[in-house]
Amino acid sequence: LDRCEREHPNIRAALRWAIDAGEAERAQGAAGGLWRFWQQRGHLAEGGRWLEEVLAMPSGRKATASRAKALLGAGGMAWWQKDREAAGAFYEEAVAIERELSDPARTAEALYNLAFVVAGEDIGSATRLLEESMDLFRRAGDERGVAQVLAMLVIPDAEAGRWDAVTARLEEVVAIWRREGDRVHLAFDLLWLAFARGRRGRREPARTAALEALD
């Protein structure tokens, strides 16, 4: 992120060159890869404008991996600007492209993102998207993706009071984050696990998980 901030003028120049040269693959791939930088460092409006411009390129209308990447970025920018309708439209097109290209991991990511938008209106449909996403992440051998989806899938079980199912899923999630060495995600999901264990009356294991999260 620091390097992207330092190089931001060069990033802008490179994107402008790619757009003016009609290099849609390069422009869309680069902009799609930069969206998290723009989001994390507060360049939401600028990043959104770049993504809209690269997606509108006449040479970039085909169903390519680069276009899907840019669509996911545009969806992310719209989501963080609280434009759910636009985010949903970007994510739906990304899902359609990734289904056509038949890449399990990328399709799973697109479905995962779309589920966030759908969940605001229909938790059942969102759950089905997440379950399909998890199956695809497992098929692709993407453990991080599996963990992220599982952490979302506990919500319907928690709402229904199925705390055994919640605990089992979160224990799998925590095990993945330990293997990955991802302390931030581990801390978040240990808190969820502590809560779930507490709801099952397992006070000491709940306390252990909460203290580890705090550490």
Side-chain angles (χ1 to χ4, degrees):
L1 291 173
D2 288 341
R3 185 177 180 186
C4 286
E5 196 71 69
R6 288 194 301 271
E7 296 288 344
H8 209 175
N10 287 331
I11 288 170
R12 294 182 180 109
L15 286 172
R16 177 52 52 205
W17 173 86
I19 292 168
D20 291 346
E23 293 278 353
E25 286 275 327
R26 290 184 176 183
Q28 291 175 351
L34 286 161
W35 87 267
R36 185 64 81 177
F37 156 66
W38 286 320
Q39 181 258 333
Q40 288 283 315
R41 291 301 174 92
H43 305 294
L44 288 168
E46 179 180 357
R49 289 193 298 270
W50 280 117
L51 283 156
E52 287 183 10
E53 189 171 0
V54 300
L55 287 169
M57 293 176 69
S59 58
R61 300 301 180 90
K62 294 180 181 178
T64 64
S66 292
R67 181 172 180 82
K69 189 174 184 178
L71 285 163
L72 289 178
M77 300 302 282
W79 171 266
W80 285 100
Q81 294 181 88
K82 303 186 185 302
D83 189 343
R84 284 176 172 266
E85 185 176 353
F90 288 131
Y91 288 149
E92 284 176 358
E93 186 182 348
V95 168
I97 290 174
E98 296 297 11
R99 287 195 191 283
E100 184 177 339
L101 298 177
S102 300
D103 183 288
R106 291 203 307 262
T107 306
E109 182 183 358
L111 289 164
Y112 173 76
N113 283 294
L114 179 59
F116 276 87
V117 179
V118 173
E121 297 181 1
D122 185 352
I123 193 66
S125 295
T127 299
R128 287 188 290 274
L129 291 171
L130 288 168
E131 287 172 343
E132 183 183 358
S133 174
M134 183 175 64
D135 290 342
L136 290 168
F137 274 131
R138 288 195 191 279
R139 190 190 310 171
D142 187 331
E143 282 210 310
R144 293 184 63 84
V146 170
Q148 288 177 312
V149 175
L150 278 173
M152 291 294 295
L153 279 171
V154 304
I155 295 173
D157 284 332
E159 288 181 340
R162 296 187 291 264
W163 295 106
D164 286 348
V166 172
T167 302
R169 279 182 164 166
L170 287 172
E171 285 174 347
E172 182 180 355
V173 170
V174 164
I176 291 172
W177 295 136
R178 288 193 198 284
R179 289 195 295 272
E180 293 287 319
D182 188 324
R183 290 168 61 82
V184 173
H185 278 102
L186 177 59
F188 281 129
D189 290 322
L190 279 167
L191 281 176
W192 274 105
L193 180 58
F195 182 80
R197 286 174 173 172
R199 292 303 296 265
R200 293 178 65 203
R202 299 175 60 198
R203 293 174 61 86
E204 282 308 309
R207 175 181 170 83
T208 299
L211 288 174
E212 185 183 355
L214 178 62
D215 182 61

